[in-house]
Amino acid sequence: MIERSICLSISLCVGLFPQSVFSAPPDFVEGEVLVVFKPAKGNAAARTALDRHSLSLARQYETISRKRGSVCGLVRGKNLATARLIELLKADPAVESAEPNYLRRIFTRIPNDPDFPKLWGLRNTGQTVNSKVGTSGVDIQFPAAWKLARTTPGEVVVGVMYTGIDITHPDLAPNVWQNPRETADNGIDDDGNGYVDDVHGYDFAAGSAAIHDSIGHGTHVAGIIAAAGNNLTGVTGVQYRAKILPLTVTSNGDSISSSAMIAAMEYAMALKQQGADIVALNASFGGSFSSNAERITIEALRDASIVLCVAAGNETTNNDFIPSYPANYPTSNILSVAAITQNDRLATFSNYGATTVDLAAPGENIYSTRPISQTATLATSVSVGGISYAALPLEYSGITPAPGLTGTIHPCGLGYPADFPAAVSGNIALILRGEITFSAKIANAKNAGAIAAIIYDNTADPLTITGWTLGAAGSWIPALQVTQATGQSILTQIPASSTVLHGKNLALAYQFLDGTSMACPHVAGAVAFAAFNFPAESLSQRIDRINNNVTLVPALAGEMTTGGRLDLLKIVDTDGDGLPDWWENETLANLAQTATADGDGDGFTNLDEFLAGTNPTDPASHLAFSSIATASDGAGRHFVLTFPSIEDRNYRIEWSGTLQAGSWRDLGEPVTGTGEILKVRDLSALDNAESRFYRMSVFPD
């Protein structure tokens, strides 16, 4: 049996924390109130109560209202201050609570060295990060945990309530959640959930389905949770197989209203009811004031089996005495997270609390994804027939690989659907400006299969970016503008090959940030990891699996309820025997056996059987070739070795002609399992009289 360790090089971070009670900026949205009516007071009673004060609901939270059997919503006063609205509503006998639409604050701690690409939180070997030397082993045990993770596919979803997400980032795009019931850009609420075109989540601050991140915090958090893994790109998320649900709740990156937060949570619950396996929401923000409407919404999340992971705060205060919300709500589905350094110390900025903060996770010098829009453009141009023309990208244009995209250029009129010939599929569209919007032209080009589009001006104006926009970020193809003269010149050369280039320096699409905001998504990713491996567990079991299996840290004793650091390995292997709990329960019925035991007496230990994907209770099931046969083709006469494989396991095949010690040689490089039958060929020319022996070993990546 061969086992090889994983070596990862990655990093992540951003800091959000509650505003001080003594802060100067307002702590609520002036002129707005969150109102909860008493149970048994229906819609009619609520309307009557509001009518008495010439008020109405700007928004009713339908899911929460139905669940409680009473109306919950947002009221905007007509020239009435928040204090006066609360005074009027609290005096009404039908009202349970009336409170400000609080603002939750967001703050960022900018690191010194944004280009240092190390994820110490996932694997800490004592490396230096931002001039700070770490302590080996102070991490969440990511490589060891993933060796024991399930290999079968399964989708879990984590919602990111924050500043938005760059859904075009190459390290995030593969894992951005997609609504199977919604059609993009058709202006229709296909799934009837009240949100038009919500293909990739929703922006509750702007009231739009367009998802982007001009601030960068949400993109950073999303990368910590679920940046794509094993894709030779950038970084890796804690649960790199999870899907990320963008829930934008702020337009300025500074404050988040209670109303936007409630709307986002309600939306997530509705999606879960429709079938999306949303297991956690990440809330890397906080504020000083408690809200009844927030609390009852979080309780509804609990009843929907959704964990709310919340940053404890970055004010170096004790949450037991100076509360931060939503972290301090006493609801059982909240995990409140403090930040630790790479030396197992509570970060100097982190809040704490022996009874109100649950656990700590890496939160200083964390390296993760950054919006592509914040990186430098390498070049933008159009080349046709050996001539290079100046070009500019439309705002929100897709990017190309560094060499550009090459294809045959086809004239496509004004960009109406009927203007695109079938031959444009896989090639480049040339479109005249005018009559319909740029976004409609490019959407039609994409739907026709074009890999890129060039729009040329309908006037003799000079090249300018002003006004040339696709309206909002999205999964756009590269879209460039050129002058009228350039467009006419290109038309004279058609048909011709063209190269469109709009490259970004993707090496800069990552950054370091600190904060409990960065610690929090480590735990959200861990919730997704637990749900991926133990899908049948209840919400309370999932939270207990995380809280009861931390690594105890002396410096954290008395600072939080668990006194420990997040440990991904203990989550999947609670008894520490080297076998994952999920596999032991499913194949051995309990956790009582050891890794070295051989219950079925076939000569293979339980650990051998786990790695091979075989049945430890069946002596006929063990690691073996299913067939070895001869074949003859253009490569000559050779052997073909066939065997079943497990996804992500590595198989080493060796051969010998004598079976003597020291005679075994590798038959090529190790091969990676796909979950299907694998075939390996020995292309050495064989003599009928020659003996050939083979052996196989398996080990995790």
Side-chain angles (χ1 to χ4, degrees):
M1 193 60 51
I2 301 173
E3 189 169 317
R4 187 171 60 191
S5 63
I6 304 172
C7 182
L8 296 176
S9 174
I10 353 178
S11 294
L12 325 158
C13 183
V14 168
L16 306 172
F17 38 93
Q19 184 76 4
S20 167
V21 179
F22 307 104
S23 58
D27 292 291
F28 53 86
V29 180
E30 182 57 64
E32 296 185 355
V33 170
L34 292 170
V35 60
V36 177
F37 288 87
K38 293 178 179 177
K41 300 292 183 180
N43 288 340
R47 283 195 299 270
T48 299
L50 292 171
D51 287 344
R52 282 197 287 268
H53 309 293
S54 299
L55 298 172
S56 62
L57 287 176
R59 177 180 186 130
Q60 180 170 337
Y61 300 108
E62 301 288 352
T63 301
I64 307 305
S65 299
R66 284 195 302 271
K67 181 174 179 58
R68 282 179 50 85
S70 64
V71 175
C72 175
L74 176 68
V75 172
R76 290 194 181 99
K78 297 178 180 179
N79 301 319
L80 292 177
T82 295
R84 179 55 178 158
L85 286 170
I86 291 175
E87 180 183 358
L88 291 173
L89 290 170
K90 276 192 170 180
D92 195 291
V95 173
E96 177 182 304
S97 66
E99 56 205 2
N101 183 12
Y102 289 122
L103 293 174
R104 303 312 186 189
R105 299 295 172 182
I106 302 174
F107 296 89
T108 307
R109 299 173 59 88
I110 304 298
N112 297 325
D113 303 308
D115 296 325
F116 191 72
K118 298 294 181 182
L119 296 177
W120 69 265
L122 302 192
R123 187 170 189 266
N124 191 342
T125 61
Q127 71 268 42
T128 299
V129 178
N130 282 355
S131 301
K132 295 182 180 180
V133 180
T135 300
S136 181
V138 176
D139 53 44
I140 67 169
Q141 298 293 300
F142 174 90
W146 271 97
K147 286 183 183 179
L148 303 183
R150 287 183 185 271
T151 57
T152 52
E155 181 175 295
V156 294
V157 184
V158 177
V160 176
M161 295 191 296
Y162 221 175
T163 63
I165 294 172
D166 178 1
I167 61 175
T168 69
H169 195 293
D171 232 359
L172 298 177
N175 285 346
V176 173
W177 175 82
Q178 183 161 336
N179 188 344
R181 297 178 176 82
E182 196 75 23
T183 301
D185 304 319
N186 67 354
I188 299 172
D189 179 15
D190 299 287
D191 59 1
N193 67 350
Y195 298 94
V196 175
D197 292 339
D198 59 322
V199 176
H200 298 298
Y202 202 75
D203 184 338
F204 297 92
S208 168
I211 302 298
H212 58 92
D213 183 9
S214 59
I215 310 301
H217 300 177
T219 298
H220 197 276
V221 163
I224 296 172
I225 296 170
N230 297 322
N231 63 347
L232 300 177
T233 303
V235 298
T236 297
V238 172
Q239 210 320 14
Y240 57 82
R241 290 182 173 178
K243 297 298 181 183
I244 308 160
L245 169 63
L247 302 170
T248 308
V249 290
T250 176
S251 57
N252 58 18
D254 176 62
S255 59
I256 294 168
S257 69
S258 295
S259 57
M261 186 175 79
I262 291 170
M265 291 190 287
E266 188 175 52
Y267 175 80
M269 285 184 280
L271 289 180
K272 181 153 190 175
Q273 193 170 33
Q274 291 176 356
D277 190 13
I278 300 171
V279 298
L281 300 185
N282 188 92
S284 290
F285 48 79
S288 304
F289 299 98
S290 174
S291 162
N292 184 54
E294 284 184 1
R295 180 185 56 78
I296 64 175
T297 305
I298 295 169
E299 290 173 350
L301 279 181
R302 175 200 62 204
D303 296 341
S305 295
I306 298 175
V307 178
L308 183 65
C309 298
V310 186
N314 290 10
E315 295 181 321
T316 322
T317 55
N318 189 332
N319 286 3
D320 291 356
F321 302 104
I322 304 177
S324 173
Y325 297 98
N328 272 60
Y329 290 123
T331 50
S332 60
N333 59 324
I334 286 180
L335 282 171
S336 176
V337 187
I340 58 164
T341 70
Q342 62 258 48
N343 300 112
D344 246 4
R345 297 288 180 182
L346 189 69
T348 56
F349 53 80
S350 180
N351 288 5
Y352 53 95
T355 63
T356 54
V357 176
D358 294 296
L359 74 167
E364 183 180 76
N365 296 334
I366 306 300
Y367 190 70
S368 186
T369 43
R370 178 184 189 182
I372 293 174
S373 62
Q374 296 180 4
T375 67
T377 300
L378 293 176
T380 302
S381 65
V382 172
S383 299
V384 183
I387 303 174
S388 182
Y389 298 95
L392 288 174
L394 275 69
E395 187 180 19
Y396 304 118
S397 165
I399 62 172
T400 68
L405 291 172
T406 298
T408 301
I409 195 164
H410 292 272
C412 298
L414 286 162
Y416 288 100
D419 292 339
F420 294 90
V424 80
S425 181
N427 288 298
I428 298 169
L430 179 65
I431 307 170
L432 175 64
R433 180 185 183 186
E435 294 194 12
I436 60 175
T437 64
F438 295 123
S439 59
K441 293 175 188 286
I442 301 306
N444 293 337
K446 180 181 177 182
N447 291 337
I451 60 173
I454 305 164
I455 299 180
Y456 65 101
D457 211 341
N458 54 4
T459 70
D461 291 341
L463 192 64
T464 175
I465 196 66
T466 304
W468 293 62
T469 180
L470 296 173
S475 55
W476 299 105
I477 60 175
L480 307 187
Q481 62 155 308
V482 297
T483 64
Q484 183 182 58
T486 294
Q488 292 171 345
S489 176
I490 292 173
L491 283 170
T492 66
Q493 301 177 66
I494 291 175
S497 176
S498 174
T499 298
V500 170
L501 173 63
H502 174 47
K504 287 278 192 174
N505 188 350
L506 295 182
L508 300 179
Y510 301 87
Q511 63 180 329
F512 281 103
L513 295 171
D514 325 334
T516 55
S517 292
M518 287 30 277
C520 182
H522 279 83
V523 174
V527 173
F529 181 76
F532 177 76
N533 286 289
F534 306 96
E537 287 192 337
S538 66
L539 179 140
S540 61
Q541 289 173 320
R542 194 161 291 156
I543 288 178
D544 286 346
R545 181 171 288 277
I546 291 169
N547 279 337
N548 295 343
N549 293 289
V550 298
T551 293
L552 297 178
V553 178
L556 302 180
E559 304 290 0
M560 55 205 64
T561 59
T562 65
R565 166 185 13 106
L566 176 69
D567 192 318
L568 214 61
L569 177 57
K570 289 183 178 179
I571 288 172
V572 73
D573 179 17
T574 58
D575 58 357
D577 65 353
L579 295 172
D581 291 1
W582 60 266
W583 185 84
E584 291 182 272
N585 284 324
E586 291 173 9
T587 61
L588 302 173
N590 56 59
L591 305 183
Q593 294 194 34
T594 66
T596 57
D598 177 16
D600 57 4
D602 61 1
F604 290 82
T605 67
N606 285 332
L607 180 58
D608 294 337
E609 303 259 23
F610 164 66
L611 291 174
T614 53
N615 187 346
T617 64
D618 180 1
S621 175
H622 51 74
L623 182 65
F625 294 106
S626 52
S627 68
I628 300 178
T630 58
S632 183
D633 55 25
R637 202 163 69 86
H638 57 272
F639 281 139
V640 178
L641 299 88
T642 303
F643 57 93
S645 71
I646 301 298
E647 185 181 1
D648 290 339
R649 296 281 196 268
N650 287 330
Y651 295 82
R652 174 175 286 119
I653 314 300
E654 297 173 284
W655 70 273
S656 170
T658 66
L659 286 181
Q660 293 179 355
S663 67
W664 290 98
R665 302 177 186 177
D666 286 345
L667 183 63
E669 295 296 321
V671 294
T672 301
T674 62
E676 307 293 335
I677 298 294
L678 292 184
K679 293 183 178 181
V680 175
R681 297 194 298 172
D682 183 352
L683 296 178
S684 301
L686 298 181
D687 186 298
N688 286 333
E690 183 180 358
S691 297
R692 202 77 157 174
F693 303 95
Y694 298 95
R695 69 182 184 184
M696 173 170 51
S697 55
V698 60
F699 52 99
D701 186 17

